[in-house]
Amino acid sequence: MVVYLVGEWVPAWLWMSLAFLVAALGVAGLGWWVLRGDARNRAAEELIQSESTKEVAEHH
């Protein structure tokens, strides 16, 4: 009976480890995607603001 339980726990542990690895990679990938998008948005906002200040300075 004990041998049978050990036989069940090893594959279950491996599959759960794989599931947690996939979940961790998904969370890390999603975080990277969000931070990359935030950096791109901030860079675009700064570009727009710098262009608008140039236009204001040129008109005055």
Side-chain angles (χ1 to χ4, degrees):
M1 183 70 94
V2 174
V3 174
Y4 183 71
L5 289 176
V6 169
E8 281 187 17
W9 280 101
V10 172
W13 175 78
L14 290 172
W15 283 112
M16 285 302 295
S17 297
L18 180 64
F20 281 117
L21 177 65
V22 169
L25 289 174
V27 168
L30 183 61
W32 171 80
W33 183 265
V34 168
L35 291 176
R36 184 179 72 106
D38 182 54
R40 291 175 64 191
N41 287 338
R42 288 178 188 264
E45 286 177 1
E46 288 177 6
L47 181 64
I48 291 171
Q49 288 176 354
S50 67
E51 287 178 357
S52 65
T53 55
K54 283 182 187 176
E55 290 176 4
V56 169
E58 288 175 358
H59 290 303
H60 288 188

